[in-house]
Amino acid sequence: MAVERCREEAIGWHVRLSDPAAPSADWAEFTDWLEADPDHVDAYDAVALADAELGESVRVSHADPAVPRNDNAPAPAKWYQRRGLFAVAASAAVAVLASPFLLSGRALQSYETRTGEIREIAMADGSQIVMNGGTKLELDRRTNRFARLSAGEAVFTIRHDATHPFTLETPESTLRDLGTVFNVRQGDDSLEVTVAAGAVQYNPKVEAVTIRAGNRLQVSHDHPVPALSRAEPGSVAGWRSGRLSYQAAPISEIAIDLTRSLGTPVSVSRDVGVRRFSGIIRIERDQKLLFRRLESLLGVRAHFSAKGWHLTS
């Protein structure tokens, strides 16, 4: 049966990737297998969870019977060969994941940055999150494997754990880490995910789009179908060093990024906002110098007032 075959393949992948010396080619092939079918993701999650939960209970609850001293003791069955136990554990895993009470029982702690501020968060498992200005993020105090980004931008450097993958929620999407460095920008009606290393899966239960290193995914209310494009891995999260990289980005979006980085409001006229720009903008401490350069680079006029900078044609 297809379900049985899917489970057997998931078990095989879990055994292969449990080896610390597993080559990088195995990880690339594993990512292809996950992307091929959303059922593969569900099967692998069930296998990994069963392995983690059965570790101690199998040894304690199912001790092997005594064997005469002159007989060779039979080798204990591997956890994944105990079909009855696996079925029970997998069913329990599904019940736990489906429980609305447990899903809503997170102990979330909020983090927020002002525009112009960058904040680093070091997590207990060695993962790291760096928040750009004007960002709202929530972390679960009970686990290092969950975060929720409601607005703004952050770069995530996540320690890979196949049995407990890191999950990032945004207002309308879910991202699952596959051992990754990735940048996420959540706008009012858009999402952009750029991967510098490893891979991220977008909406595992629906589209299940895998974003690999050097790729960018963009989705918005106007363009709800996820679109993949190329991105230079070295430019990911360049805002940390004052470099903003764009490929055919509307100037209205650039204004939001400038506000986030400078801490000074930047607005655009309607006709300027729809123009698109490709290239790199270097953030200067001297804002007058920065906007003088932007006038030439973007082909706009920059005006400063008590409300901040305003770009017009």
Side-chain angles (χ1 to χ4, degrees), residues 144-161:
N144 295 302
R145 313 307 292 174
F146 177 86
R148 179 177 294 151
L149 179 69
S150 56
E153 183 173 23
V155 59
F156 299 80
T157 302
I158 302 300
R159 184 186 65 81
H160 184 63
D161 183 345

Side-chain angles (χ1 to χ4, degrees), residues 141-194:
R141 291 192 295 267
R142 298 173 182 169
T143 175
N144 295 302
R145 313 307 292 174
F146 177 86
R148 179 177 294 151
L149 179 69
S150 56
E153 183 173 23
V155 59
F156 299 80
T157 302
I158 302 300
R159 184 186 65 81
H160 184 63
D161 183 345
T163 60
H164 300 92
F166 178 82
T167 298
L168 174 67
E169 288 185 357
T170 69
E172 297 183 359
S173 307
T174 298
L175 301 171
R176 176 179 292 162
D177 162 72
L178 301 177
T180 317
V181 178
F182 62 104
N183 189 84
V184 182
R185 174 173 23 197
Q186 177 63 54
D188 291 338
D189 62 354
S190 64
L191 174 71
E192 179 183 287
V193 183
T194 311

Side-chain angles (χ1 to χ4, degrees), residues 74-244:
K78 299 289 186 182
W79 68 267
Y80 48 82
Q81 293 173 328
R82 306 185 186 207
R83 297 302 181 86
L85 291 175
F86 175 82
V88 171
S91 298
V94 171
V96 168
L97 292 175
S99 169
F101 173 79
L102 291 177
L103 287 176
S104 62
R106 296 193 180 279
L108 297 178
Q109 181 173 354
S110 298
Y111 297 82
E112 188 169 351
T113 54
R114 301 181 302 274
T115 56
E117 176 188 10
I118 291 179
R119 179 172 183 176
E120 296 185 8
I121 301 174
M123 303 172 75
D125 66 350
S127 300
Q128 183 190 56
I129 301 173
V130 183
M131 301 168 62
N132 201 352
T135 296
K136 296 180 180 180
L137 181 74
E138 293 175 294
L139 299 178
D140 192 336
R141 291 192 295 267
R142 298 173 182 169
T143 175
N144 295 302
R145 313 307 292 174
F146 177 86
R148 179 177 294 151
L149 179 69
S150 56
E153 183 173 23
V155 59
F156 299 80
T157 302
I158 302 300
R159 184 186 65 81
H160 184 63
D161 183 345
T163 60
H164 300 92
F166 178 82
T167 298
L168 174 67
E169 288 185 357
T170 69
E172 297 183 359
S173 307
T174 298
L175 301 171
R176 176 179 292 162
D177 162 72
L178 301 177
T180 317
V181 178
F182 62 104
N183 189 84
V184 182
R185 174 173 23 197
Q186 177 63 54
D188 291 338
D189 62 354
S190 64
L191 174 71
E192 179 183 287
V193 183
T194 311
V195 178
V200 169
Q201 195 166 56
Y202 169 81
N203 278 352
K205 301 294 184 180
V206 189
E207 294 92 344
V209 178
T210 298
I211 315 164
R212 304 176 189 277
N215 284 338
R216 175 187 294 112
L217 178 142
Q218 294 172 300
V219 62
S220 67
H221 288 170
D222 294 336
H223 301 282
V225 177
L228 286 174
S229 60
R230 291 291 301 165
E232 177 58 45
S235 68
V236 176
W239 49 265
R240 290 181 296 179
S241 56
R243 290 165 52 92
L244 306 180

